[in-house]
């Protein structure tokens, strides 16, 4: 099945966007991008190397000299125009997302709109980048602060949200007056390139946005982006292990860093919760994008009094799922991104089984559909000794852990090296406050399995990283604060 686009020019094969031009790798080398639903090749992309990446950085560095001088209102208008073009092309962007990522078309449409919302949000933030007038302790001095763009930013984005993750980073960067070099994910680069085309049509100046792709030279390109002296900031969304490597590399030139890394989200259901709402929240949080989001519920803790009832209700909902190609209208859940993801999900299921867990539904590959499909799975009898208690599954596997008390479930939830998101379901507002404040995470959803919003700060603590994306805070890490002191203002008025 080869999808069609309303605007075929949005599919950029064998080209990337550098300095306002669509170019190939200097070597002429390319790499294939596969449809995870079928295994078929969608197309090829340039395999950039270090020298190609340096050229992109040079273009961004040159463009920064002028772009930083634009007013916030001017930058906001560019972002607004880009937003409008994204909204006009939501269907084509959704098609590209489903084609290269696998998620159902309805979910892809949701992501396209979500991606556009960051451009809209930061188009409105751009004119409001204001400094302060401070009261100094020295008589006669006057002090102001200015917020200035940090410079050229390297943005490294993941495959699971190929549209939303690039706009969530580029939006605040441009609003602040920075220029960017984006490394698109090798598994799903075409969405990023289509967004670059729309930015070009919106009138974003050459060199302000550069989007590069690579596969065989991933380590080399990553090293250039994290060590090049012209790069002022690195923003990365991905695994904790890769984040640590990039952070180590970036330390050589003390770059500003934003790291949105792995999660292991606890999803806590207390015995006074609205179970229907809790099950709906678990379906949204655990099984969205077939479990391939960093804020997916990874450990579902259910208080013992409602454990069996919750389990039965969850299984009934999962029975209604239809797994298949994301372009099929009946599909509710698509494939995983590749065979390694399927293998990890299967390993977690087998590990839990061997240690005493029971499968209520699912638990195996769906070979009849293809190599990248795995059954949506619910397991009970989970314990802290199982791999799922400490490792992020990133697949459609829901493991239910029983618990007795608030203290017990908070201790279990916090027994993790990472701390990105958590979810709490209860009707008791005092309990919700106690537990939410005690959880060692950056974000808590209360009676909701969906916490992402352009108006809210997204990010974690511990080994889930640092920095916040989205909201009024999202622009701050793309800015330097400069203080200017004016002396000699202690003279009286002249008569």
């Amino acid at each position: 099945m080869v999808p069609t686009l309303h605007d075929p020019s949005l599919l950029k094969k064998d080209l990337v966007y550098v300095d306002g031009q669509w170019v190939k790798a200097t070597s002429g080398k390319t790499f294939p991008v596969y449809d995870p639903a079928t295994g078929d090749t969608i197309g090829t992309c340039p395999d950039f190397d270090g020298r190609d990446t340096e050229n992109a950085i040079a273009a961004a560095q040159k463009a920064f000299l002028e772009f930083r001088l634009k007013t916030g209102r001017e930058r906001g208008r560019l972002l607004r125009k880009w937003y409008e073009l994204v909204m006009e092309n939501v269907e084509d962007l959704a098609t590209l997302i489903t084609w290269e990522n696998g998620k159902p078309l309805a979910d892809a449409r949701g992501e396209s709109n979500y991606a556009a919302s960051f451009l809209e949000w930061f188009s409105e933030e751009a004119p409001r980048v204001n400094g302060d007038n401070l009261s100094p302790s020295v008589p006669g001095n006057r002090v102001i602060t200015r917020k200035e763009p940090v410079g050229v930013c390297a943005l490294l984005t993941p495959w699971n949200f190929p549209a939303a993750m690039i706009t969530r980073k580029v939006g605040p960067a441009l609003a602040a007056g920075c220029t960017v070099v984006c490394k698109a994910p090798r598994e799903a680069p075409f969405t990023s390139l289509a967004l670059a085309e729309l930015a070009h049509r919106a009138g974003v100046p050459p060199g302000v946005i550069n989007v590069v792709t690579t596969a065989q030279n991933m380590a080399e390109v990553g090293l250039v982006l994290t060590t090049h002296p012209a790069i002022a900031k690195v923003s990365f969304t991905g695994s904790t292990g890769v984040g640590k490597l990039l952070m180590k590399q970036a330390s050589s030139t003390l770059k500003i860093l934003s790291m949105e890394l792995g999660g292991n989200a606890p999803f806590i259901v207390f015995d006074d919760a609205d179970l229907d709402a809790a099950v709906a929240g678990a379906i949204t949080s655990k099984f969205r994008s077939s479990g391939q989001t960093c804020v997916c519920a990874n450990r579902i803790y259910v208080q013992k009094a409602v454990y069996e009832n919750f389990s039965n209700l969850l299984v009934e909902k999962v029975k209604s799922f239809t797994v298949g190609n994301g372009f099929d209208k009946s599909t509710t859940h698509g494939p995983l991104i590749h065979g390694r993801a399927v293998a990890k999900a299967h390993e977690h299921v087998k590990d839990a089984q061997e240690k005493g867990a029971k499968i209520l539904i699912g638990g195996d590959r769906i070979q009849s559909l293809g190599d990248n499909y795995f059954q949506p799975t619910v397991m009970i009898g989970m314990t802290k000794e199982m791999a799922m208690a400490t490792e992020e599954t990133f697949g459609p596997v829901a493991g239910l852990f029983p618990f007795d008390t608030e203290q017990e479930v908070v201790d279990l939830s916090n027994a993790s090296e990472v701390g990105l998101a958590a979810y709490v379901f209860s009707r008791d507002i005092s309990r919700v406050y106690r537990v939410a404040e005690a959880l060692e995470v950056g974000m808590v959803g209360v009676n909701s399995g969906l916490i992402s919003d352009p108006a809210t700060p997204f990010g974690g603590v511990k080994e889930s990283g640092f920095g916040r994306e989205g909201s009024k805070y999202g622009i701050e890490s793309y800015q330097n604060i400069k203080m200017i002191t004016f002396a000699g203002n202690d003279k009286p008025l002249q008569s």
Side-chain angles (χ1 to χ4, degrees):
M1 177 179 185
V2 178
T4 58
L5 301 178
H6 298 292
D7 181 356
S9 67
L10 288 177
L11 178 57
K12 300 295 185 181
K13 294 183 179 180
D14 299 323
L15 298 170
V16 291
Y17 188 65
V18 175
D19 202 14
Q21 302 293 322
W22 291 98
V23 301
K24 299 177 180 289
T26 303
S27 66
K29 294 180 179 179
T30 61
F31 64 92
V33 179
Y34 300 103
D35 178 351
T38 64
D40 296 337
T41 300
I42 299 171
T44 56
C45 284
D47 200 355
F48 258 36
D49 59 20
R51 182 174 297 178
D52 291 323
T53 306
E54 288 174 352
N55 291 337
I57 294 171
Q61 188 177 19
K62 180 182 177 182
F64 176 66
L65 299 177
E66 290 189 13
F67 191 69
R68 65 176 303 177
L69 301 178
K70 287 188 178 293
T71 66
R73 183 68 64 187
E74 289 174 316
R75 297 194 296 269
R77 290 192 187 108
L78 286 172
L79 286 168
R80 180 73 193 186
K81 180 60 177 176
W82 191 13
Y83 157 76
E84 291 169 352
L85 288 172
V86 170
M87 292 303 297
E88 290 172 12
N89 291 273
V90 160
E91 282 301 310
D92 279 350
L93 289 171
T95 297
L96 289 172
I97 292 169
T98 295
W99 200 1
E100 62 183 357
N101 169 281
K103 66 180 64 175
L105 194 56
D107 289 355
R109 289 192 188 101
E111 183 188 341
S112 297
N113 282 279
Y114 181 50
S117 72
F118 286 106
L119 301 179
E120 180 182 37
W121 175 269
F122 286 107
S123 75
E124 296 163 350
E125 288 290 292
R128 296 170 178 81
V129 176
N130 299 314
D132 292 307
N133 188 349
L134 305 180
S135 300
S137 59
V138 178
N141 281 4
R142 302 292 183 267
V143 179
I144 64 169
T145 61
R146 286 171 45 85
K147 292 183 178 178
E148 300 180 343
V150 298
V152 181
C153 303
L155 311 178
L156 296 87
T157 58
W159 53 262
N160 58 339
F161 285 89
M165 293 303 95
I166 189 170
T167 60
R168 194 164 75 180
K169 295 179 188 296
V170 178
L174 267 60
C178 298
T179 58
V180 301
V181 178
C182 307
K183 190 200 75 62
R186 64 166 295 178
E187 297 88 350
F190 290 120
T191 304
S192 299
L193 295 169
L195 286 167
E197 170 63 21
L198 295 176
H200 181 82
R201 295 179 190 179
V204 175
V208 171
I209 296 175
N210 305 274
V211 180
V212 304
T213 60
T214 188
Q216 295 302 316
N217 302 310
M218 190 84 71
E220 180 184 352
V221 169
L223 184 63
V224 170
L225 290 174
T226 52
T227 59
H228 195 288
I231 296 288
K233 173 185 168 67
V234 176
S235 178
F236 170 72
T237 297
S239 71
T240 296
V242 174
K244 288 180 177 180
L245 173 62
L246 297 176
M247 187 175 176
K248 182 178 180 180
Q249 292 174 177
S251 68
S252 64
T253 47
L254 291 179
K255 301 191 186 306
I256 301 167
L257 299 176
S258 294
M259 294 281 167
E260 195 267 281
L261 308 177
N264 186 3
F267 186 101
I268 303 169
V269 181
F270 286 103
D271 56 13
D272 62 348
D274 178 335
L275 287 191
D276 289 333
V279 169
I283 294 296
T284 299
S285 176
K286 173 68 259 183
F287 292 103
R288 185 164 61 112
S289 298
S290 297
Q292 299 175 112
T293 86
C294 56
V295 292
C296 274
N298 202 60
R299 299 167 289 160
I300 300 178
Y301 294 109
V302 185
Q303 206 157 19
K304 287 181 178 178
V306 295
Y307 188 84
E308 183 176 357
N309 194 6
F310 179 88
S311 304
N312 293 335
L313 290 171
L314 184 62
V315 168
E316 287 304 309
K317 289 292 186 182
V318 173
K319 284 180 180 178
S320 70
F321 291 176
T322 299
V323 180
N325 190 306
F327 288 112
D328 294 340
K329 291 182 179 180
S330 62
T331 294
T332 60
H333 293 78
L336 300 190
I337 190 66
H338 44 49
R340 297 189 305 279
V342 174
K344 185 174 184 181
H346 203 200
E347 288 168 8
H348 277 193
V349 170
K350 290 191 294 182
D351 172 80
Q353 271 189 297
E354 291 168 359
K355 295 173 181 175
K358 178 183 177 181
I359 297 174
L360 296 183
I361 188 171
D364 206 352
R365 296 178 170 88
I366 313 177
Q367 295 287 5
S368 60
L369 292 178
D371 293 337
N372 296 335
Y373 292 89
F374 196 84
Q375 295 172 336
T377 302
V378 178
M379 296 187 295
I380 58 174
M382 300 292 293
T383 67
K384 63 182 180 181
E385 289 75 28
M386 298 172 184
M388 277 185 62
T390 56
E391 299 176 13
E392 188 176 26
T393 304
F394 233 65
V397 182
L400 277 53
F401 297 73
F403 74 92
D404 284 308
T405 67
E406 289 179 16
Q407 187 64 59
E408 178 191 5
V409 76
V410 167
D411 289 344
L412 288 168
S413 298
N414 290 342
S416 174
E417 295 177 344
V418 295
L420 188 57
Y423 306 87
V424 180
F425 282 76
S426 171
R427 289 189 175 96
D428 185 336
I429 192 66
S430 295
R431 164 179 276 172
V432 165
Y433 264 101
R434 287 194 301 272
V435 173
E437 290 178 353
L439 290 170
E440 297 171 355
V441 295
M443 301 172 288
V444 180
V446 176
N447 296 325
S448 174
L450 188 63
I451 58 175
S452 298
D453 187 310
T456 60
F458 191 101
V461 298
K462 300 163 76 171
E463 292 193 15
S464 286
F466 43 82
R468 294 296 180 266
E469 295 186 329
S471 81
K472 66 178 184 180
Y473 305 107
I475 198 170
E476 291 179 355
S477 64
Y478 294 93
Q479 298 170 321
N480 287 323
I481 296 177
K482 178 182 287 182
M483 181 275 293
I484 304 175
T485 297
F486 299 86
N489 295 289
D490 53 350
K491 295 179 181 179
L493 291 172
Q494 301 297 302
S495 58

